[in-house]
C-alpha cells in the first residue's frame, strides 16, 4: 500500500524537477546549472569524493541559482 503523502510528495518533486529542467534549458545550462558542455571530475558535481557525500541536485542548483528556486520551488505553507 502506498502512503498518500509520499505519493503527493513525489508528484510535487517531479513537477519541481520538470520546472527546473525547463528553467535550465531556457538559459542553455546543463543539468547542474553550469554552462552547457561543462566537464566534471567523477562525472557529476553532486558527489564529493573527499567526503563521500552526495548532495541533492535541486539543492545544488538552488544554491547556485536562487532565482531558479524562486521560479520553481513550491511555496512553503505557513501556519
Amino acid at each position: 500500500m502506498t502512503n498518500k503523502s509520499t505519493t503527493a510528495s513525489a508528484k510535487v518533486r517531479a513537477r519541481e524537477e520538470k520546472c527546473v529542467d525547463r528553467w535550465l534549458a531556457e538559459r542553455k545550462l546543463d543539468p547542474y546549472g553550469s554552462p552547457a558542455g561543462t566537464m566534471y571530475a567523477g562525472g557529476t558535481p553532486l558527489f564529493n569524493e573527499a567526503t563521500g557525500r552526495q548532495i541533492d541536485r535541486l539543492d545544488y542548483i538552488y544554491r547556485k541559482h536562487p532565482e531558479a528556486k524562486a521560479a520553481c520551488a513550491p511555496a512553503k505553507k505557513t501556519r
Side-chain angles (χ1 to χ4, degrees):
M1 184 168 179
T2 304
N3 181 324
K4 288 182 182 179
S5 177
T6 302
T7 302
S9 179
K11 288 179 181 179
V12 169
R13 173 70 184 215
R15 281 194 301 268
E16 184 177 1
E17 286 185 1
K18 187 174 182 178
C19 177
V20 168
D21 289 339
R22 190 172 42 249
W23 188 93
L24 293 169
E26 289 169 356
R27 288 154 183 80
K28 297 182 177 27
L29 299 173
D30 71 10
Y32 308 107
S34 298
T38 299
M39 302 292 282
Y40 302 99
T44 175
L46 304 180
F47 182 72
N48 183 328
E49 293 180 17
T51 64
R53 293 185 185 232
Q54 178 106 9
I55 186 172
D56 179 78
R57 183 176 80 99
L58 293 183
D59 290 341
Y60 180 82
I61 293 167
Y62 291 161
R63 285 184 195 160
K64 288 178 71 171
H65 301 286
E67 62 278 21
K69 184 174 185 174
C72 296
K76 299 287 184 193
K77 293 181 181 178
T78 57
R79 291 182 176 192

